[in-house]
Amino acid sequence: MIRTLPDVLSKMRLPEVVQSLLSEAPSVTVAPDVSTLADLAVQDTGPDGFHDVAYDVPGKGSVTEVRVCKVRNGIAANYVEPYMRRRDPDCMVIGDDQPTNKR
């Protein structure tokens, strides 16, 4: 069951500025457990099985930050820009030749 924001905020001690930001946000979803969070992460997948996390950037339009998909053992997040992969630009390269359900 997804909890309502007032229910969650009543159980947390947050700085006033954070409470204000959350209460004024158009929508906030709080997952009660990891399983629900994983389901939410891929709920809007396209026909290719991926969900793109994108933001509207003034002057640029929609910018995709990461492509998310459900895999056998959880969720995979593939950052589209190498600089977002932190120290190793090849960190999302598969390190073995074991079977996979993704291309």
Side-chain angles (χ1 to χ4, degrees), residues 45-102:
T45 56
D48 61 355
F50 285 90
H51 169 73
D52 289 346
V53 177
Y55 304 94
D56 289 325
V57 176
K60 286 190 169 186
S62 180
V63 175
T64 299
E65 180 179 20
V66 64
R67 301 195 80 208
V68 182
C69 68
K70 187 169 181 68
V71 292
R72 278 187 280 191
N73 61 343
I75 302 295
N78 298 307
Y79 288 90
V80 297
E81 296 290 335
Y83 77 91
M84 292 297 295
R85 297 179 192 156
R86 300 261 170 139
R87 297 172 196 89
D88 182 3
D90 295 322
C91 67
M92 295 305 287
V93 174
I94 305 304
D96 60 40
D97 59 355
Q98 299 297 314
T100 180
N101 62 345
K102 300 294 176 200

Side-chain angles (χ1 to χ4, degrees), residues 2-19:
I2 296 175
R3 298 179 180 137
T4 64
L5 185 59
D7 180 45
V8 172
L9 288 179
S10 70
K11 296 175 183 174
M12 300 175 82
R13 291 185 352 192
L14 299 170
E16 276 187 43
V17 66
V18 174
Q19 287 184 359

Side-chain angles (χ1 to χ4, degrees), residues 5-44:
L5 185 59
D7 180 45
V8 172
L9 288 179
S10 70
K11 296 175 183 174
M12 300 175 82
R13 291 185 352 192
L14 299 170
E16 276 187 43
V17 66
V18 174
Q19 287 184 359
S20 176
L21 285 170
L22 290 172
S23 64
E24 293 175 16
S27 70
V28 176
T29 302
V30 180
D33 53 50
V34 174
S35 176
T36 304
L37 182 61
D39 290 341
L40 289 169
V42 293
Q43 73 178 356
D44 295 326

